[in-house]
mmCIF file with all atom_site columns, all heavy atoms in Angstrom:
data_model
loop_
_atom_site.group_PDB
_atom_site.id
_atom_site.type_symbol
_atom_site.label_atom_id
_atom_site.label_alt_id
_atom_site.label_comp_id
_atom_site.label_asym_id
_atom_site.label_entity_id
_atom_site.label_seq_id
_atom_site.pdbx_PDB_ins_code
_atom_site.Cartn_x
_atom_site.Cartn_y
_atom_site.Cartn_z
_atom_site.occupancy
_atom_site.B_iso_or_equiv
_atom_site.pdbx_formal_charge
_atom_site.auth_seq_id
_atom_site.auth_comp_id
_atom_site.auth_asym_id
_atom_site.auth_atom_id
_atom_site.pdbx_PDB_model_num
ATOM 1   N N   . ALA A 1 1  ? -6.838  1.198   17.062 1.00 87.00 ? 1  ALA A N   1
ATOM 2   C CA  . ALA A 1 1  ? -7.093  1.944   18.299 1.00 87.00 ? 1  ALA A CA  1
ATOM 3   C C   . ALA A 1 1  ? -6.517  1.215   19.508 1.00 87.00 ? 1  ALA A C   1
ATOM 4   O O   . ALA A 1 1  ? -5.912  1.842   20.383 1.00 87.00 ? 1  ALA A O   1
ATOM 5   C CB  . ALA A 1 1  ? -8.597  2.147   18.476 1.00 87.00 ? 1  ALA A CB  1
ATOM 6   N N   . VAL A 1 2  ? -6.675  -0.107  19.565 1.00 86.00 ? 2  VAL A N   1
ATOM 7   C CA  . VAL A 1 2  ? -6.135  -0.893  20.673 1.00 86.00 ? 2  VAL A CA  1
ATOM 8   C C   . VAL A 1 2  ? -4.615  -0.808  20.692 1.00 86.00 ? 2  VAL A C   1
ATOM 9   O O   . VAL A 1 2  ? -3.991  -0.636  21.746 1.00 86.00 ? 2  VAL A O   1
ATOM 10  C CB  . VAL A 1 2  ? -6.606  -2.358  20.574 1.00 86.00 ? 2  VAL A CB  1
ATOM 11  C CG1 . VAL A 1 2  ? -5.865  -3.232  21.583 1.00 86.00 ? 2  VAL A CG1 1
ATOM 12  C CG2 . VAL A 1 2  ? -8.115  -2.453  20.810 1.00 86.00 ? 2  VAL A CG2 1
ATOM 13  N N   . ALA A 1 3  ? -3.987  -0.926  19.522 1.00 84.00 ? 3  ALA A N   1
ATOM 14  C CA  . ALA A 1 3  ? -2.525  -0.835  19.454 1.00 84.00 ? 3  ALA A CA  1
ATOM 15  C C   . ALA A 1 3  ? -2.038  0.537   19.911 1.00 84.00 ? 3  ALA A C   1
ATOM 16  O O   . ALA A 1 3  ? -1.023  0.650   20.602 1.00 84.00 ? 3  ALA A O   1
ATOM 17  C CB  . ALA A 1 3  ? -2.051  -1.115  18.029 1.00 84.00 ? 3  ALA A CB  1
ATOM 18  N N   . SER A 1 4  ? -2.766  1.596   19.533 1.00 85.00 ? 4  SER A N   1
ATOM 19  C CA  . SER A 1 4  ? -2.382  2.945   19.947 1.00 85.00 ? 4  SER A CA  1
ATOM 20  C C   . SER A 1 4  ? -2.479  3.100   21.465 1.00 85.00 ? 4  SER A C   1
ATOM 21  O O   . SER A 1 4  ? -1.584  3.672   22.096 1.00 85.00 ? 4  SER A O   1
ATOM 22  C CB  . SER A 1 4  ? -3.281  3.971   19.261 1.00 85.00 ? 4  SER A CB  1
ATOM 23  O OG  . SER A 1 4  ? -3.004  5.274   19.715 1.00 85.00 ? 4  SER A OG  1
ATOM 24  N N   . LEU A 1 5  ? -3.547  2.574   22.080 1.00 86.00 ? 5  LEU A N   1
ATOM 25  C CA  . LEU A 1 5  ? -3.697  2.652   23.532 1.00 86.00 ? 5  LEU A CA  1
ATOM 26  C C   . LEU A 1 5  ? -2.648  1.807   24.254 1.00 86.00 ? 5  LEU A C   1
ATOM 27  O O   . LEU A 1 5  ? -2.264  2.113   25.376 1.00 86.00 ? 5  LEU A O   1
ATOM 28  C CB  . LEU A 1 5  ? -5.100  2.211   23.934 1.00 86.00 ? 5  LEU A CB  1
ATOM 29  C CG  . LEU A 1 5  ? -6.240  3.164   23.527 1.00 86.00 ? 5  LEU A CG  1
ATOM 30  C CD1 . LEU A 1 5  ? -7.596  2.526   23.775 1.00 86.00 ? 5  LEU A CD1 1
ATOM 31  C CD2 . LEU A 1 5  ? -6.130  4.475   24.292 1.00 86.00 ? 5  LEU A CD2 1
ATOM 32  N N   . ASP A 1 6  ? -2.206  0.730   23.601 1.00 85.00 ? 6  ASP A N   1
ATOM 33  C CA  . ASP A 1 6  ? -1.152  -0.107  24.182 1.00 85.00 ? 6  ASP A CA  1
ATOM 34  C C   . ASP A 1 6  ? 0.244   0.439   23.907 1.00 85.00 ? 6  ASP A C   1
ATOM 35  O O   . ASP A 1 6  ? 1.238   -0.228  24.207 1.00 85.00 ? 6  ASP A O   1
ATOM 36  C CB  . ASP A 1 6  ? -1.254  -1.536  23.627 1.00 85.00 ? 6  ASP A CB  1
ATOM 37  C CG  . ASP A 1 6  ? -2.416  -2.304  24.216 1.00 85.00 ? 6  ASP A CG  1
ATOM 38  O OD1 . ASP A 1 6  ? -2.933  -1.870  25.263 1.00 85.00 ? 6  ASP A OD1 1
ATOM 39  O OD2 . ASP A 1 6  ? -2.822  -3.333  23.632 1.00 85.00 ? 6  ASP A OD2 1
ATOM 40  N N   . LYS A 1 7  ? 0.296   1.631   23.300 1.00 82.00 ? 7  LYS A N   1
ATOM 41  C CA  . LYS A 1 7  ? 1.575   2.292   22.997 1.00 82.00 ? 7  LYS A CA  1
ATOM 42  C C   . LYS A 1 7  ? 2.440   1.449   22.059 1.00 82.00 ? 7  LYS A C   1
ATOM 43  O O   . LYS A 1 7  ? 3.663   1.371   22.197 1.00 82.00 ? 7  LYS A O   1
ATOM 44  C CB  . LYS A 1 7  ? 2.367   2.590   24.289 1.00 82.00 ? 7  LYS A CB  1
ATOM 45  C CG  . LYS A 1 7  ? 1.595   3.401   25.322 1.00 82.00 ? 7  LYS A CG  1
ATOM 46  C CD  . LYS A 1 7  ? 1.319   4.810   24.829 1.00 82.00 ? 7  LYS A CD  1
ATOM 47  C CE  . LYS A 1 7  ? 0.718   5.698   25.916 1.00 82.00 ? 7  LYS A CE  1
ATOM 48  N NZ  . LYS A 1 7  ? -0.614  5.263   26.362 1.00 82.00 ? 7  LYS A NZ  1
ATOM 49  N N   . GLN A 1 8  ? 1.787   0.829   21.075 1.00 83.00 ? 8  GLN A N   1
ATOM 50  C CA  . GLN A 1 8  ? 2.512   0.036   20.094 1.00 83.00 ? 8  GLN A CA  1
ATOM 51  C C   . GLN A 1 8  ? 2.456   0.743   18.743 1.00 83.00 ? 8  GLN A C   1
ATOM 52  O O   . GLN A 1 8  ? 1.408   1.257   18.339 1.00 83.00 ? 8  GLN A O   1
ATOM 53  C CB  . GLN A 1 8  ? 1.908   -1.362  19.955 1.00 83.00 ? 8  GLN A CB  1
ATOM 54  C CG  . GLN A 1 8  ? 2.044   -2.206  21.214 1.00 83.00 ? 8  GLN A CG  1
ATOM 55  C CD  . GLN A 1 8  ? 1.678   -3.641  20.959 1.00 83.00 ? 8  GLN A CD  1
ATOM 56  O OE1 . GLN A 1 8  ? 2.220   -4.290  20.075 1.00 83.00 ? 8  GLN A OE1 1
ATOM 57  N NE2 . GLN A 1 8  ? 0.732   -4.153  21.741 1.00 83.00 ? 8  GLN A NE2 1
ATOM 58  N N   . THR A 1 9  ? 3.573   0.737   18.041 1.00 77.00 ? 9  THR A N   1
ATOM 59  C CA  . THR A 1 9  ? 3.654   1.372   16.732 1.00 77.00 ? 9  THR A CA  1
ATOM 60  C C   . THR A 1 9  ? 3.244   0.376   15.660 1.00 77.00 ? 9  THR A C   1
ATOM 61  O O   . THR A 1 9  ? 3.719   -0.769  15.643 1.00 77.00 ? 9  THR A O   1
ATOM 62  C CB  . THR A 1 9  ? 5.080   1.870   16.456 1.00 77.00 ? 9  THR A CB  1
ATOM 63  O OG1 . THR A 1 9  ? 5.477   2.735   17.520 1.00 77.00 ? 9  THR A OG1 1
ATOM 64  C CG2 . THR A 1 9  ? 5.156   2.612   15.139 1.00 77.00 ? 9  THR A CG2 1
ATOM 65  N N   . GLN A 1 10 ? 2.372   0.814   14.764 1.00 68.00 ? 10 GLN A N   1
ATOM 66  C CA  . GLN A 1 10 ? 1.967   -0.048  13.658 1.00 68.00 ? 10 GLN A CA  1
ATOM 67  C C   . GLN A 1 10 ? 3.118   -0.178  12.666 1.00 68.00 ? 10 GLN A C   1
ATOM 68  O O   . GLN A 1 10 ? 3.719   0.820   12.248 1.00 68.00 ? 10 GLN A O   1
ATOM 69  C CB  . GLN A 1 10 ? 0.746   0.540   12.953 1.00 68.00 ? 10 GLN A CB  1
ATOM 70  C CG  . GLN A 1 10 ? -0.496  0.598   13.826 1.00 68.00 ? 10 GLN A CG  1
ATOM 71  C CD  . GLN A 1 10 ? -1.111  -0.789  14.024 1.00 68.00 ? 10 GLN A CD  1
ATOM 72  O OE1 . GLN A 1 10 ? -0.935  -1.671  13.208 1.00 68.00 ? 10 GLN A OE1 1
ATOM 73  N NE2 . GLN A 1 10 ? -1.809  -0.968  15.123 1.00 68.00 ? 10 GLN A NE2 1
ATOM 74  N N   . THR A 1 11 ? 3.454   -1.403  12.301 1.00 66.00 ? 11 THR A N   1
ATOM 75  C CA  . THR A 1 11 ? 4.525   -1.642  11.331 1.00 66.00 ? 11 THR A CA  1
ATOM 76  C C   . THR A 1 11 ? 3.919   -2.245  10.065 1.00 66.00 ? 11 THR A C   1
ATOM 77  O O   . THR A 1 11 ? 2.914   -2.953  10.128 1.00 66.00 ? 11 THR A O   1
ATOM 78  C CB  . THR A 1 11 ? 5.569   -2.612  11.906 1.00 66.00 ? 11 THR A CB  1
ATOM 79  O OG1 . THR A 1 11 ? 4.915   -3.829  12.307 1.00 66.00 ? 11 THR A OG1 1
ATOM 80  C CG2 . THR A 1 11 ? 6.260   -2.004  13.114 1.00 66.00 ? 11 THR A CG2 1
ATOM 81  N N   . PRO A 1 12 ? 4.541   -1.986  8.914  1.00 59.00 ? 12 PRO A N   1
ATOM 82  C CA  . PRO A 1 12 ? 4.015   -2.566  7.670  1.00 59.00 ? 12 PRO A CA  1
ATOM 83  C C   . PRO A 1 12 ? 4.034   -4.088  7.731  1.00 59.00 ? 12 PRO A C   1
ATOM 84  O O   . PRO A 1 12 ? 4.974   -4.696  8.238  1.00 59.00 ? 12 PRO A O   1
ATOM 85  C CB  . PRO A 1 12 ? 4.986   -2.043  6.600  1.00 59.00 ? 12 PRO A CB  1
ATOM 86  C CG  . PRO A 1 12 ? 5.651   -0.856  7.223  1.00 59.00 ? 12 PRO A CG  1
ATOM 87  C CD  . PRO A 1 12 ? 5.708   -1.135  8.694  1.00 59.00 ? 12 PRO A CD  1
ATOM 88  N N   . THR A 1 13 ? 2.981   -4.699  7.214  1.00 60.00 ? 13 THR A N   1
ATOM 89  C CA  . THR A 1 13 ? 2.897   -6.161  7.243  1.00 60.00 ? 13 THR A CA  1
ATOM 90  C C   . THR A 1 13 ? 3.669   -6.749  6.070  1.00 60.00 ? 13 THR A C   1
ATOM 91  O O   . THR A 1 13 ? 3.727   -6.175  4.983  1.00 60.00 ? 13 THR A O   1
ATOM 92  C CB  . THR A 1 13 ? 1.438   -6.620  7.154  1.00 60.00 ? 13 THR A CB  1
ATOM 93  O OG1 . THR A 1 13 ? 0.845   -6.063  5.974  1.00 60.00 ? 13 THR A OG1 1
ATOM 94  C CG2 . THR A 1 13 ? 0.659   -6.156  8.360  1.00 60.00 ? 13 THR A CG2 1
ATOM 95  N N   . THR A 1 14 ? 4.272   -7.893  6.304  1.00 59.00 ? 14 THR A N   1
ATOM 96  C CA  . THR A 1 14 ? 4.939   -8.618  5.230  1.00 59.00 ? 14 THR A CA  1
ATOM 97  C C   . THR A 1 14 ? 3.951   -9.576  4.594  1.00 59.00 ? 14 THR A C   1
ATOM 98  O O   . THR A 1 14 ? 2.847   -9.804  5.087  1.00 59.00 ? 14 THR A O   1
ATOM 99  C CB  . THR A 1 14 ? 6.134   -9.411  5.791  1.00 59.00 ? 14 THR A CB  1
ATOM 100 O OG1 . THR A 1 14 ? 5.636   -10.401 6.712  1.00 59.00 ? 14 THR A OG1 1
ATOM 101 C CG2 . THR A 1 14 ? 7.106   -8.489  6.515  1.00 59.00 ? 14 THR A CG2 1
ATOM 102 N N   . GLU A 1 15 ? 4.353   -10.159 3.471  1.00 57.00 ? 15 GLU A N   1
ATOM 103 C CA  . GLU A 1 15 ? 3.479   -11.107 2.782  1.00 57.00 ? 15 GLU A CA  1
ATOM 104 C C   . GLU A 1 15 ? 3.134   -12.280 3.685  1.00 57.00 ? 15 GLU A C   1
ATOM 105 O O   . GLU A 1 15 ? 2.026   -12.787 3.665  1.00 57.00 ? 15 GLU A O   1
ATOM 106 C CB  . GLU A 1 15 ? 4.182   -11.604 1.505  1.00 57.00 ? 15 GLU A CB  1
ATOM 107 C CG  . GLU A 1 15 ? 3.411   -12.665 0.708  1.00 57.00 ? 15 GLU A CG  1
ATOM 108 C CD  . GLU A 1 15 ? 2.130   -12.131 0.096  1.00 57.00 ? 15 GLU A CD  1
ATOM 109 O OE1 . GLU A 1 15 ? 2.023   -10.894 -0.060 1.00 57.00 ? 15 GLU A OE1 1
ATOM 110 O OE2 . GLU A 1 15 ? 1.247   -12.934 -0.220 1.00 57.00 ? 15 GLU A OE2 1
ATOM 111 N N   . ARG A 1 16 ? 4.084   -12.690 4.534  1.00 60.00 ? 16 ARG A N   1
ATOM 112 C CA  . ARG A 1 16 ? 3.848   -13.850 5.391  1.00 60.00 ? 16 ARG A CA  1
ATOM 113 C C   . ARG A 1 16 ? 2.937   -13.509 6.578  1.00 60.00 ? 16 ARG A C   1
ATOM 114 O O   . ARG A 1 16 ? 2.157   -14.348 7.026  1.00 60.00 ? 16 ARG A O   1
ATOM 115 C CB  . ARG A 1 16 ? 5.184   -14.389 5.904  1.00 60.00 ? 16 ARG A CB  1
ATOM 116 C CG  . ARG A 1 16 ? 5.051   -15.650 6.737  1.00 60.00 ? 16 ARG A CG  1
ATOM 117 C CD  . ARG A 1 16 ? 6.406   -16.187 7.156  1.00 60.00 ? 16 ARG A CD  1
ATOM 118 N NE  . ARG A 1 16 ? 6.262   -17.349 8.007  1.00 60.00 ? 16 ARG A NE  1
ATOM 119 C CZ  . ARG A 1 16 ? 6.071   -18.584 7.592  1.00 60.00 ? 16 ARG A CZ  1
ATOM 120 N NH1 . ARG A 1 16 ? 5.983   -18.828 6.301  1.00 60.00 ? 16 ARG A NH1 1
ATOM 121 N NH2 . ARG A 1 16 ? 5.959   -19.592 8.431  1.00 60.00 ? 16 ARG A NH2 1
ATOM 122 N N   . SER A 1 17 ? 3.044   -12.273 7.096  1.00 67.00 ? 17 SER A N   1
ATOM 123 C CA  . SER A 1 17 ? 2.290   -11.936 8.296  1.00 67.00 ? 17 SER A CA  1
ATOM 124 C C   . SER A 1 17 ? 0.985   -11.197 8.012  1.00 67.00 ? 17 SER A C   1
ATOM 125 O O   . SER A 1 17 ? 0.217   -10.943 8.930  1.00 67.00 ? 17 SER A O   1
ATOM 126 C CB  . SER A 1 17 ? 3.156   -11.075 9.229  1.00 67.00 ? 17 SER A CB  1
ATOM 127 O OG  . SER A 1 17 ? 3.445   -9.832  8.614  1.00 67.00 ? 17 SER A OG  1
ATOM 128 N N   . ARG A 1 18 ? 0.732   -10.808 6.765  1.00 79.00 ? 18 ARG A N   1
ATOM 129 C CA  . ARG A 1 18 ? -0.503  -10.081 6.461  1.00 79.00 ? 18 ARG A CA  1
ATOM 130 C C   . ARG A 1 18 ? -1.707  -10.957 6.793  1.00 79.00 ? 18 ARG A C   1
ATOM 131 O O   . ARG A 1 18 ? -1.642  -12.185 6.731  1.00 79.00 ? 18 ARG A O   1
ATOM 132 C CB  . ARG A 1 18 ? -0.538  -9.688  4.986  1.00 79.00 ? 18 ARG A CB  1
ATOM 133 C CG  . ARG A 1 18 ? -0.698  -10.879 4.017  1.00 79.00 ? 18 ARG A CG  1
ATOM 134 C CD  . ARG A 1 18 ? -0.655  -10.437 2.577  1.00 79.00 ? 18 ARG A CD  1
ATOM 135 N NE  . ARG A 1 18 ? -0.687  -11.592 1.688  1.00 79.00 ? 18 ARG A NE  1
ATOM 136 C CZ  . ARG A 1 18 ? -1.800  -12.129 1.205  1.00 79.00 ? 18 ARG A CZ  1
ATOM 137 N NH1 . ARG A 1 18 ? -2.975  -11.613 1.527  1.00 79.00 ? 18 ARG A NH1 1
ATOM 138 N NH2 . ARG A 1 18 ? -1.753  -13.177 0.394  1.00 79.00 ? 18 ARG A NH2 1
ATOM 139 N N   . GLU A 1 19 ? -2.797  -10.322 7.126  1.00 86.00 ? 19 GLU A N   1
ATOM 140 C CA  . GLU A 1 19 ? -3.995  -11.058 7.522  1.00 86.00 ? 19 GLU A CA  1
ATOM 141 C C   . GLU A 1 19 ? -5.058  -10.971 6.447  1.00 86.00 ? 19 GLU A C   1
ATOM 142 O O   . GLU A 1 19 ? -5.187  -9.949  5.756  1.00 86.00 ? 19 GLU A O   1
ATOM 143 C CB  . GLU A 1 19 ? -4.531  -10.502 8.846  1.00 86.00 ? 19 GLU A CB  1
ATOM 144 C CG  . GLU A 1 19 ? -3.610  -10.780 10.027 1.00 86.00 ? 19 GLU A CG  1
ATOM 145 C CD  . GLU A 1 19 ? -4.189  -10.268 11.337 1.00 86.00 ? 19 GLU A CD  1
ATOM 146 O OE1 . GLU A 1 19 ? -4.860  -9.222  11.319 1.00 86.00 ? 19 GLU A OE1 1
ATOM 147 O OE2 . GLU A 1 19 ? -3.974  -10.923 12.372 1.00 86.00 ? 19 GLU A OE2 1
ATOM 148 N N   . ILE A 1 20 ? -5.813  -12.051 6.312  1.00 90.00 ? 20 ILE A N   1
ATOM 149 C CA  . ILE A 1 20 ? -6.903  -12.121 5.338  1.00 90.00 ? 20 ILE A CA  1
ATOM 150 C C   . ILE A 1 20 ? -8.206  -12.199 6.118  1.00 90.00 ? 20 ILE A C   1
ATOM 151 O O   . ILE A 1 20 ? -8.346  -13.000 7.039  1.00 90.00 ? 20 ILE A O   1
ATOM 152 C CB  . ILE A 1 20 ? -6.745  -13.359 4.433  1.00 90.00 ? 20 ILE A CB  1
ATOM 153 C CG1 . ILE A 1 20 ? -5.423  -13.262 3.664  1.00 90.00 ? 20 ILE A CG1 1
ATOM 154 C CG2 . ILE A 1 20 ? -7.917  -13.488 3.475  1.00 90.00 ? 20 ILE A CG2 1
ATOM 155 C CD1 . ILE A 1 20 ? -5.062  -14.517 2.915  1.00 90.00 ? 20 ILE A CD1 1
ATOM 156 N N   . GLU A 1 21 ? -9.147  -11.357 5.736  1.00 92.00 ? 21 GLU A N   1
ATOM 157 C CA  . GLU A 1 21 ? -10.408 -11.254 6.471  1.00 92.00 ? 21 GLU A CA  1
ATOM 158 C C   . GLU A 1 21 ? -11.439 -12.212 5.890  1.00 92.00 ? 21 GLU A C   1
ATOM 159 O O   . GLU A 1 21 ? -11.810 -12.098 4.715  1.00 92.00 ? 21 GLU A O   1
ATOM 160 C CB  . GLU A 1 21 ? -10.918 -9.817  6.406  1.00 92.00 ? 21 GLU A CB  1
ATOM 161 C CG  . GLU A 1 21 ? -12.102 -9.539  7.295  1.00 92.00 ? 21 GLU A CG  1
ATOM 162 C CD  . GLU A 1 21 ? -12.414 -8.051  7.366  1.00 92.00 ? 21 GLU A CD  1
ATOM 163 O OE1 . GLU A 1 21 ? -11.649 -7.314  8.007  1.00 92.00 ? 21 GLU A OE1 1
ATOM 164 O OE2 . GLU A 1 21 ? -13.418 -7.645  6.757  1.00 92.00 ? 21 GLU A OE2 1
ATOM 165 N N   . ILE A 1 22 ? -11.878 -13.170 6.702  1.00 94.00 ? 22 ILE A N   1
ATOM 166 C CA  . ILE A 1 22 ? -12.882 -14.156 6.305  1.00 94.00 ? 22 ILE A CA  1
ATOM 167 C C   . ILE A 1 22 ? -14.083 -14.018 7.238  1.00 94.00 ? 22 ILE A C   1
ATOM 168 O O   . ILE A 1 22 ? -13.922 -13.899 8.452  1.00 94.00 ? 22 ILE A O   1
ATOM 169 C CB  . ILE A 1 22 ? -12.325 -15.599 6.386  1.00 94.00 ? 22 ILE A CB  1
ATOM 170 C CG1 . ILE A 1 22 ? -11.045 -15.736 5.544  1.00 94.00 ? 22 ILE A CG1 1
ATOM 171 C CG2 . ILE A 1 22 ? -13.379 -16.611 5.952  1.00 94.00 ? 22 ILE A CG2 1
ATOM 172 C CD1 . ILE A 1 22 ? -11.248 -15.599 4.066  1.00 94.00 ? 22 ILE A CD1 1
ATOM 173 N N   . TRP A 1 23 ? -15.277 -14.061 6.687  1.00 96.00 ? 23 TRP A N   1
ATOM 174 C CA  . TRP A 1 23 ? -16.506 -13.988 7.489  1.00 96.00 ? 23 TRP A CA  1
ATOM 175 C C   . TRP A 1 23 ? -17.113 -15.380 7.629  1.00 96.00 ? 23 TRP A C   1
ATOM 176 O O   . TRP A 1 23 ? -17.328 -16.077 6.635  1.00 96.00 ? 23 TRP A O   1
ATOM 177 C CB  . TRP A 1 23 ? -17.521 -13.050 6.838  1.00 96.00 ? 23 TRP A CB  1
ATOM 178 C CG  . TRP A 1 23 ? -17.188 -11.607 7.009  1.00 96.00 ? 23 TRP A CG  1
ATOM 179 C CD1 . TRP A 1 23 ? -16.519 -10.800 6.127  1.00 96.00 ? 23 TRP A CD1 1
ATOM 180 C CD2 . TRP A 1 23 ? -17.489 -10.796 8.144  1.00 96.00 ? 23 TRP A CD2 1
ATOM 181 N NE1 . TRP A 1 23 ? -16.386 -9.548  6.645  1.00 96.00 ? 23 TRP A NE1 1
ATOM 182 C CE2 . TRP A 1 23 ? -16.973 -9.507  7.873  1.00 96.00 ? 23 TRP A CE2 1
ATOM 183 C CE3 . TRP A 1 23 ? -18.147 -11.025 9.351  1.00 96.00 ? 23 TRP A CE3 1
ATOM 184 C CZ2 . TRP A 1 23 ? -17.096 -8.453  8.773  1.00 96.00 ? 23 TRP A CZ2 1
ATOM 185 C CZ3 . TRP A 1 23 ? -18.265 -9.981  10.242 1.00 96.00 ? 23 TRP A CZ3 1
ATOM 186 C CH2 . TRP A 1 23 ? -17.748 -8.712  9.962  1.00 96.00 ? 23 TRP A CH2 1
ATOM 187 N N   . GLU A 1 24 ? -17.337 -15.790 8.883  1.00 96.00 ? 24 GLU A N   1
ATOM 188 C CA  . GLU A 1 24 ? -18.099 -17.009 9.172  1.00 96.00 ? 24 GLU A CA  1
ATOM 189 C C   . GLU A 1 24 ? -19.542 -16.580 9.420  1.00 96.00 ? 24 GLU A C   1
ATOM 190 O O   . GLU A 1 24 ? -19.827 -15.822 10.345 1.00 96.00 ? 24 GLU A O   1
ATOM 191 C CB  . GLU A 1 24 ? -17.538 -17.719 10.406 1.00 96.00 ? 24 GLU A CB  1
ATOM 192 C CG  . GLU A 1 24 ? -18.353 -18.942 10.826 1.00 96.00 ? 24 GLU A CG  1
ATOM 193 C CD  . GLU A 1 24 ? -17.865 -19.546 12.130 1.00 96.00 ? 24 GLU A CD  1
ATOM 194 O OE1 . GLU A 1 24 ? -16.733 -19.219 12.558 1.00 96.00 ? 24 GLU A OE1 1
ATOM 195 O OE2 . GLU A 1 24 ? -18.621 -20.340 12.738 1.00 96.00 ? 24 GLU A OE2 1
ATOM 196 N N   . LEU A 1 25 ? -20.466 -17.066 8.593  1.00 97.00 ? 25 LEU A N   1
ATOM 197 C CA  . LEU A 1 25 ? -21.844 -16.585 8.620  1.00 97.00 ? 25 LEU A CA  1
ATOM 198 C C   . LEU A 1 25 ? -22.803 -17.732 8.904  1.00 97.00 ? 25 LEU A C   1
ATOM 199 O O   . LEU A 1 25 ? -22.741 -18.780 8.258  1.00 97.00 ? 25 LEU A O   1
ATOM 200 C CB  . LEU A 1 25 ? -22.195 -15.932 7.281  1.00 97.00 ? 25 LEU A CB  1
ATOM 201 C CG  . LEU A 1 25 ? -21.340 -14.710 6.949  1.00 97.00 ? 25 LEU A CG  1
ATOM 202 C CD1 . LEU A 1 25 ? -21.149 -14.556 5.456  1.00 97.00 ? 25 LEU A CD1 1
ATOM 203 C CD2 . LEU A 1 25 ? -21.944 -13.452 7.530  1.00 97.00 ? 25 LEU A CD2 1
ATOM 204 N N   . HIS A 1 26 ? -23.655 -17.523 9.885  1.00 97.00 ? 26 HIS A N   1
ATOM 205 C CA  . HIS A 1 26 ? -24.718 -18.473 10.213 1.00 97.00 ? 26 HIS A CA  1
ATOM 206 C C   . HIS A 1 26 ? -26.026 -17.813 9.788  1.00 97.00 ? 26 HIS A C   1
ATOM 207 O O   . HIS A 1 26 ? -26.417 -16.790 10.363 1.00 97.00 ? 26 HIS A O   1
ATOM 208 C CB  . HIS A 1 26 ? -24.718 -18.794 11.704 1.00 97.00 ? 26 HIS A CB  1
ATOM 209 C CG  . HIS A 1 26 ? -23.456 -19.461 12.172 1.00 97.00 ? 26 HIS A CG  1
ATOM 210 N ND1 . HIS A 1 26 ? -23.392 -20.801 12.487 1.00 97.00 ? 26 HIS A ND1 1
ATOM 211 C CD2 . HIS A 1 26 ? -22.204 -18.964 12.343 1.00 97.00 ? 26 HIS A CD2 1
ATOM 212 C CE1 . HIS A 1 26 ? -22.161 -21.102 12.852 1.00 97.00 ? 26 HIS A CE1 1
ATOM 213 N NE2 . HIS A 1 26 ? -21.424 -20.018 12.774 1.00 97.00 ? 26 HIS A NE2 1
ATOM 214 N N   . CYS A 1 27 ? -26.672 -18.376 8.774  1.00 96.00 ? 27 CYS A N   1
ATOM 215 C CA  . CYS A 1 27 ? -27.826 -17.683 8.209  1.00 96.00 ? 27 CYS A CA  1
ATOM 216 C C   . CYS A 1 27 ? -28.963 -18.656 7.928  1.00 96.00 ? 27 CYS A C   1
ATOM 217 O O   . CYS A 1 27 ? -28.775 -19.875 7.862  1.00 96.00 ? 27 CYS A O   1
ATOM 218 C CB  . CYS A 1 27 ? -27.441 -16.944 6.933  1.00 96.00 ? 27 CYS A CB  1
ATOM 219 S SG  . CYS A 1 27 ? -27.020 -18.020 5.558  1.00 96.00 ? 27 CYS A SG  1
#
């Protein structure tokens, strides 16, 4: 949504630039 409002086109991610989602949890 932020990229769309900034008028940026989503491009396919490469293996090097793809992001991995990690959760930091304080419990």
Side-chain angles (χ1 to χ4, degrees):
V2 171
S4 176
L5 291 171
D6 286 343
K7 305 293 188 295
Q8 294 191 55
T9 305
Q10 295 286 335
T11 56
T13 56
T14 64
E15 177 67 21
R16 184 177 177 83
S17 65
R18 69 183 175 91
E19 292 182 325
I20 299 171
E21 189 170 288
I22 304 293
W23 285 96
E24 176 186 344
L25 298 149
H26 297 254
C27 68

